[in-house]
């Protein structure tokens, strides 16, 4: 699995040919320090105009030509280095700086061509490639089109120059290749940004899942603890032995709630409809609510057992906490679960609290449907149909 630094290099186009391993293995400081080498290596093709300049008879012309080639190479290398490292560091080369560099290179190319004729046109390939990297697409192609016209027209206007019918085609091919590579760089960068966004979304989704789990677990456990504590308080003066039993159960529930929170934070909490049926019976009986539960949950397939467990836990918590019901019935099938009570029912236009919203998110993520409504007898109904 590549680290963040390597991913960033890939995203900004630092992996071309055999340079992939070399770039990925360099520390950040060395990549920054030696980045100019990736541009300077291509200057080897300037050896052809350099040979023509060295064969000139005039010493002054040779000195001027060499200075033009050296200046051209320096401008190209520095601009390429600035573009490459600026792009990697999120500080791209401004367009106006690109135009200044390209203008200087054009002027130096004109100087070389004035000394050695059409051989100097070889430098225009560097201009086309750099223009494709540093300029907007329309501006870059406009620059290439102007250079193609000059390459085709100038040798036919200047009598001492020899036309090269193939060079304009080479220039267009080089520009197209540079444009294609630039598009790959851009797509890689967009892919890296998309990956980072997905990672951020995954973090947000995990936080939401954690908050739902903790809310549902603590909401249910603390509701049962509250009901049993109230019952124990009422029994203290009537039946001290029964009150002691209830307090012992409160202690057990509190310890279980603590264990559930720890296991949830650790990612090991497993909710199952079978265990939740037993918990639901305990909670409803403690709240003095008659309960009608299925004998077992064996008919529920494995893929639905966790979802139905969460549904039952949240629905029973709401019945105990809010419904003031006398009776609660749970119906269970392999593909659905419903919890109905005869209490006061939901308020008009209710959208539910955090628990029901979290439950709706769970059901939606599982591809099921959630129904929360008033029943004809006035109570509350929560029903989930699994896909």
């Amino acid at each position: 699995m590549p680290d963040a630094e390597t991913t960033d290099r890939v995203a900004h186009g630092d992996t071309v040919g055999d340079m992939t391993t070399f770039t990925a293995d360099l520390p950040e400081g060395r990549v920054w320090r030696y980045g100019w080498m990736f541009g300077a290596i291509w200057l080897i093709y300037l050896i052809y105009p350099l040979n023509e300049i060295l064969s000139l008879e005039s010493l002054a012309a040779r000195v001027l030509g060499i200075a033009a080639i050296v200046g051209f190479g320096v401008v190209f290398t520095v601009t390429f280095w600035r573009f490459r490292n600026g792009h990697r560091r999120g500080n791209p080369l401004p367009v106006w700086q690109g135009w200044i560099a390209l203008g200087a290179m054009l002027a130096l190319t004109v100087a070389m061509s004035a000394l050695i004729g059409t051989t100097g046109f070889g430098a225009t390939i560097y201009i086309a490639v750099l223009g494709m990297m540093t300029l907007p697409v329309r501006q870059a192609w406009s620059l290439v089109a102007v250079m193609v016209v000059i390459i085709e027209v100038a040798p036919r206007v200047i009598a001492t120059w020899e036309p090269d019918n193939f060079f304009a085609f080479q220039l267009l091919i080089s520009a197209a290749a540079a444009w294609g590579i630039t598009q790959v760089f851009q797509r890689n960068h967009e892919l890296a940004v998309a990956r980072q966004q997905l990672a951020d979304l995954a973090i947000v989704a995990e936080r939401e899942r954690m908050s739902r789990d903790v809310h549902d677990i603590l909401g249910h456990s603390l509701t049962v603890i509250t009901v049993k504590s109230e019952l124990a308080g009422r029994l203290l003066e009537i039946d001290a032995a029964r009150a002691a039993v209830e307090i012992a159960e409160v202690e057990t529930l509190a310890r279980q709630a603590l264990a559930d929170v720890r296991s949830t934070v650790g990612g090991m909490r497993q909710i199952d409809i079978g265990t939740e049926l037993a918990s639901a019976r305990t909670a409803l009986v403690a709240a003095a609510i008659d309960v009608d539960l299925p004998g077992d949950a064996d008919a529920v397939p494995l893929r639905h057992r966790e979802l139905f467990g969460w549904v039952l836990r949240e629905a029973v918590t709401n019945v105990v906490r809010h419904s003031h019901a006398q009776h609660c019935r749970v119906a269970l099938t392999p593909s659905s679960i419903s919890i109905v009570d005869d209490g006061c029912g939901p308020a008009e236009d209710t959208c539910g609290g955090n628990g029901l919203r979290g439950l709706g998110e769970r059901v939606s993520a599982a591809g099921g449907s959630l129904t929360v409504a008033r029943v004809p007898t006035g109570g509350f109904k929560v029903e989930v149909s699994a896909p």
Side-chain angles (χ1 to χ4, degrees):
M1 190 72 181
D3 58 16
E5 182 181 358
T6 304
T7 302
D8 178 65
R9 291 168 181 163
V10 173
H12 293 85
D14 291 340
T15 55
V16 180
D18 293 336
M19 292 190 292
T20 303
T21 304
F22 179 67
T23 306
D25 291 340
L26 280 177
E28 180 69 22
R30 293 182 64 190
V31 171
W32 173 263
R33 190 178 307 121
Y34 299 119
W36 62 270
M37 296 175 58
F38 296 106
I41 193 173
W42 300 105
L43 295 178
I44 187 66
Y45 295 104
L46 290 178
I47 193 171
Y48 299 107
L50 179 62
N51 286 334
E52 292 288 336
I53 289 172
L54 292 177
S55 64
L56 295 175
E57 296 181 358
S58 170
L59 177 62
R62 290 200 299 271
V63 172
L64 180 61
I66 292 173
I69 287 181
V70 171
F72 185 94
V74 169
V75 173
F76 175 82
T77 302
V78 170
T79 305
F80 182 86
W81 173 82
R82 173 69 180 85
F83 159 78
R84 178 177 176 274
N85 289 284
H87 195 64
R88 291 181 67 251
R89 294 173 178 266
N91 183 27
L93 180 72
V95 174
W96 65 270
Q97 291 186 14
W99 272 116
I100 291 176
L102 294 170
M105 293 168 66
L106 281 169
L108 293 171
T109 301
V110 170
M112 285 187 285
S113 299
L115 294 173
I116 58 178
T118 55
T119 305
F121 285 168
T124 58
I125 292 180
Y126 294 93
I127 299 175
V129 169
L130 197 61
M132 285 295 173
M133 292 182 176
T134 59
L135 300 180
V137 176
R138 291 185 179 180
Q139 296 182 26
W141 280 110
S142 298
L143 175 63
V144 171
V146 170
M147 288 193 295
V148 168
V149 171
I150 294 174
I151 288 172
E152 288 295 320
V153 173
R156 291 169 173 79
V157 174
I158 301 175
T160 57
W161 288 8
E162 296 181 3
D164 187 342
N165 296 325
F166 189 66
F167 191 78
F169 176 75
Q170 290 179 314
L171 181 64
L172 289 173
I173 292 297
S174 299
W179 177 80
I181 294 175
T182 303
Q183 294 303 303
V184 172
F185 290 174
Q186 182 178 352
R187 297 297 181 270
N188 286 341
H189 176 67
E190 293 173 352
L191 179 60
V193 171
R195 286 174 175 170
Q196 184 60 50
Q197 291 175 344
L198 289 175
D200 294 340
L201 290 174
I203 293 174
V204 172
E206 179 61 16
R207 288 174 177 171
E208 292 178 349
R209 183 198 68 81
M210 187 67 67
S211 66
R212 287 197 304 267
D213 288 359
V214 172
H215 171 274
D216 293 346
I217 289 171
L218 286 183
H220 178 80
S221 300
L222 294 179
T223 296
V224 179
I225 289 173
T226 300
V227 171
K228 282 188 169 291
S229 298
E230 293 174 351
L231 178 59
R234 293 195 299 267
L235 290 174
L236 277 176
E237 297 181 358
I238 302 173
D239 188 347
R242 174 73 185 281
V245 172
E246 294 295 335
I247 292 174
E249 291 184 2
V250 167
E251 180 183 357
T252 301
L253 288 169
R255 293 181 184 277
Q256 183 61 46
L258 180 60
D260 288 346
V261 170
R262 288 173 175 171
S263 62
T264 298
V265 173
M268 300 180 295
R269 175 65 179 172
Q270 294 294 327
I271 296 295
D272 184 82
I273 183 61
T275 56
E276 291 306 315
L277 283 174
S279 299
R281 182 180 300 277
T282 300
L284 291 169
V285 169
I289 298 175
D290 292 333
V291 57
D292 181 7
L293 293 174
D296 56 58
D298 295 341
V300 180
L302 182 62
R303 64 182 181 277
H304 297 155
R305 295 183 70 88
E306 182 179 2
L307 174 62
F308 286 1
W310 284 114
V311 173
L312 183 60
R313 173 179 280 261
E314 177 59 30
V316 169
T317 300
N318 287 337
V319 170
V320 173
R321 184 183 297 172
H322 306 299
S323 71
H324 305 290
Q326 299 297 318
H327 182 78
C328 178
R329 180 175 61 85
V330 177
L332 192 62
T333 72
S335 61
S336 68
I337 181 174
S338 66
I339 300 92
V340 181
D341 64 70
D342 60 355
C344 59
E348 295 295 334
D349 300 326
T350 184
C351 62
N354 292 329
L356 288 178
R357 281 197 295 271
L359 182 59
E361 292 172 0
R362 292 183 191 276
V363 174
S364 177
S369 60
L370 170 66
T371 301
V372 177
R374 184 187 299 272
V375 296
T377 54
F380 198 63
K381 176 181 181 180
V382 176
E383 183 176 14
V384 168
S385 297

